[in-house]
């Protein structure tokens, strides 16, 4: 009988592009673990499964413990790729850390006092949470802080209005040196109107960026978006000419697992930034899911027609890739929760890798179908 392990060997790609080549070819796949996601075993297992499935980048919170968990997952992936049961080619994805300039909803967490919950409440909060971060059992009651990634879905469903969002007390500047030294790439989350906060963070981080291969700026839509990004571009290009620049268009933040429609918001925002002629690559996020690659392909937005070069950066007419967050995590969650160290259970490991490939594959397949 064919084992799940043997099956996987035949489905893995045989000539993976380097992460930079994937960007250039318009097939860059990034896994977003979440800027506030601190479930360490889940981060480790997600990094492991998506690395083996061919992801180009693993994006994690700028937290030393989370970075260590992701690195452990990548090290496990490398050991497996070099082992006897792996016949495909493997290259290590880049590790990205995400930081926030100014107030950012990615860095909040839900909170409530479970002592105030009526015994007969049907607990819609527990049911709606995509991260299983709300529990009422013997081990924990209320919000499990390390699992909550601040999506906010539980806030409106409480009939008594007991759930509130609390600011996550980040000490990003203090830990920047520690996490940046271990990363290949940096992402800064910002919003229109936060230029002063962005500049303060940029000045702090810039001296520690020399080794980075890529800088991503993540921004949702807003009035004056293009002017704002143009100002950020001016600042970035005046100080850093080495790393590749990516605009992460955060269409509908943290919503990809809600349904098909969320992908449209992500695509519309990407089109707006592409049309602006900003230098650098454009990569979708925020609402991305299993429909996104297909939709981009239908629209002719997935290829690599380079249109110009300014101050060491390129401009494009089409997107360079897709980042997947809540949808990608949700896809694997029921499988990776079965074991603390995925590689210790080969059947579960390869099941997780196959699921991850079901998301990575359609984007990578665009290249072979050109
Ligand atoms: S629904 Fe979202 S904000 Fe609420 S506990 Fe779960 S992860 Fe946190
Ligand atoms: S919905 Fe509100 S009242 Fe009900 S269990 Fe959740 S937090 Fe408590």
């Amino acid at each position: 009988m064919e084992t799940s392990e043997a099956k996987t060997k035949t489905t893995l790609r045989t000539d993976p592009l380097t992460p930079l080549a994937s960007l250039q070819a318009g097939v860059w796949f990034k896994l977003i673990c979440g800027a506030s996601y601190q479930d360490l075993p889940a981060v480790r297992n997600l990094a492991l499964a998506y690395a083996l499935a061919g992801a180009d980048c693993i994006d994690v919170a700028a937290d030393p413990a989370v970075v260590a968990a992701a690195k452990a997952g990548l090290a496990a992936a490398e050991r497996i790729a070099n082992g006897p049961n792996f016949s495909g080619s493997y290259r290590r994805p880049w590790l990205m850390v995400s930081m926030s300039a100014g107030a950012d909803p990615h860095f909040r967490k839900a909170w409530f006092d479970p002592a105030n919950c009526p015994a007969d409440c049907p607990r819609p909060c527990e049911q709606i949470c995509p991260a299983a971060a709300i529990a009422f059992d013997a081990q924990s009651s209320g919000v499990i802080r390390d699992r909550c990634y601040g999506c906010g879905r539980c806030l409106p469903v409480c009939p008594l209005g007991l759930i509130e969002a609390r600011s996550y007390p980040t000490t990003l500047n203090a830990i920047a040196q520690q996490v940046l030294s271990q990363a290949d790439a940096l992402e800064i989350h910002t919003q229109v109107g936060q230029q002063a906060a962005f500049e303060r963070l940029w000045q702090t981080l810039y001296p520690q960026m020399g080794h980075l291969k890529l800088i991503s700026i993540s921004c949702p839509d807003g009035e004056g978006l293009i002017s704002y990004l143009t100002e950020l571009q001016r600042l970035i290009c005046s100080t850093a000419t080495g790393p590749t620049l990516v605009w992460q268009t955060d269409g509908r933040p943290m919503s990809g697992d809600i349904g098909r429609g969320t992908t449209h918001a992500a695509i519309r925002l990407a089109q707006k930034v592409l049309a602006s002629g900003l230098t650098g690559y454009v990569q979708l996020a925020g609402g991305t899911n299993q429909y996104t690659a297909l939709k981009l392909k239908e629209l002719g937005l997935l290829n690599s027609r380079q249109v110009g070069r300014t101050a060491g950066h390129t401009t494009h007419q089409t997107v360079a890739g897709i980042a997947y967050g809540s949808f990608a995590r949700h896809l694997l969650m029921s499988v990776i929760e079965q074991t603390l160290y995925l590689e210790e259970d080969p059947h579960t490991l390869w099941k997780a890798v196959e699921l991850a490939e079901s998301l990575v594959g359609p984007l990578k397949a665009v290249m072979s179908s050109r």
Side-chain angles (χ1 to χ4, degrees):
M1 195 178 95
E2 189 181 33
T3 65
S4 178
E5 195 164 339
K7 244 192 287 174
T8 300
K9 279 190 256 175
T10 63
T11 58
L12 288 166
R13 291 166 305 123
T14 52
D15 57 346
L17 299 172
T18 64
L20 181 59
S22 290
L23 264 179
Q24 290 164 342
V27 293
W28 159 269
F29 181 105
K30 185 175 88 167
L31 167 70
I32 303 174
C33 285
S36 291
Y37 194 64
Q38 292 164 302
D39 183 335
L40 302 181
V43 169
R44 183 188 189 282
N45 284 342
L46 284 166
L48 165 55
Y50 275 99
L52 288 175
D56 295 292
C57 185
I58 309 293
D59 176 4
V60 299
D63 174 308
V66 177
V67 171
K71 286 185 73 177
L74 294 181
E78 198 136 1
R79 279 196 302 278
I80 292 164
N82 290 327
N85 293 324
F86 189 90
S87 61
S89 300
Y90 173 82
R91 54 97 189 92
R92 182 185 168 281
W94 286 348
L95 182 62
M96 173 182 281
V97 293
S98 280
M99 299 185 178
S100 172
D104 187 315
H106 288 90
F107 292 93
R108 66 179 182 169
K109 287 178 187 283
W111 181 89
F112 66 90
D113 183 352
N116 295 327
C117 299
D120 61 352
C121 178
R123 297 173 182 168
C125 56
E126 187 179 16
Q127 289 159 34
I128 203 168
C129 178
I134 295 179
F136 296 87
D137 54 34
Q139 284 80 41
S140 49
S141 190
V143 177
I144 303 167
R145 196 172 174 275
D146 286 352
R147 286 191 177 179
C148 172
Y149 66 99
C151 72
R153 269 174 237 176
C154 59
L155 304 181
V157 303
C158 175
L160 301 182
L162 295 183
I163 310 176
E164 59 187 78
R166 290 196 164 179
S167 279
Y168 174 49
T170 56
T171 53
L172 291 178
N173 292 353
I175 63 173
Q177 197 163 12
Q178 195 178 347
V179 296
L180 276 185
S181 64
Q182 302 186 62
D184 303 292
L186 165 70
E187 181 160 279
I188 299 178
H189 289 253
T190 186
Q191 294 179 30
V192 177
Q194 292 182 342
Q195 192 167 341
F198 185 95
E199 286 184 12
R200 274 197 302 277
L201 184 61
W202 182 260
Q203 296 307 338
T204 304
L205 300 180
Y206 172 62
Q208 303 166 46
M209 286 181 192
H211 66 290
L212 294 181
K213 302 178 180 91
L214 182 148
I215 292 170
S216 171
I217 306 300
S218 180
C219 194
D221 204 358
E223 204 178 327
L225 173 73
I226 300 305
S227 307
Y228 180 61
L229 297 185
T230 303
E231 285 305 312
L232 300 190
Q233 176 188 273
R234 193 169 299 139
L235 173 70
I236 293 167
C237 293
S238 68
T239 47
T241 52
T244 299
L245 179 62
V246 170
W247 302 108
Q248 174 167 288
T249 52
D250 204 0
R252 189 171 160 190
M254 297 185 275
S255 67
D257 56 326
I258 289 176
R260 187 178 189 127
T262 59
T263 216
H264 299 299
I267 290 173
R268 272 196 304 275
L269 182 54
Q271 287 173 311
K272 180 174 175 178
V273 176
L274 285 167
S276 73
L278 283 161
T279 59
Y281 295 96
V282 176
Q283 170 238 279
L284 271 76
T288 51
N289 51 35
Q290 76 271 42
Y291 304 113
T292 310
L294 198 63
K295 191 69 198 165
L296 285 172
K297 196 177 166 198
E298 275 174 28
L299 293 169
L301 284 171
L302 266 185
N303 63 41
S304 53
R305 278 172 294 161
Q306 182 176 314
V307 294
R309 236 182 131 69
T310 307
H313 297 296
T314 51
T315 58
H316 295 263
Q317 289 179 316
T318 51
V319 303
I322 305 171
Y324 298 88
S326 51
F327 183 83
R329 295 194 299 271
H330 223 171
L331 185 64
L332 266 62
M333 204 47 80
S334 64
V335 175
I336 65 170
E337 276 182 349
Q338 291 172 24
T339 174
L340 207 51
Y341 301 106
L342 207 45
E343 69 274 27
E344 289 181 355
D345 178 352
H347 177 77
T348 307
L349 167 70
W350 294 120
K351 199 169 160 195
V353 174
E354 284 176 14
L355 281 170
E357 284 184 316
S358 73
L359 193 58
V360 179
L363 175 58
K364 298 293 181 183
V366 169
M367 249 189 32
S368 50
S369 67
R370 276 177 197 152

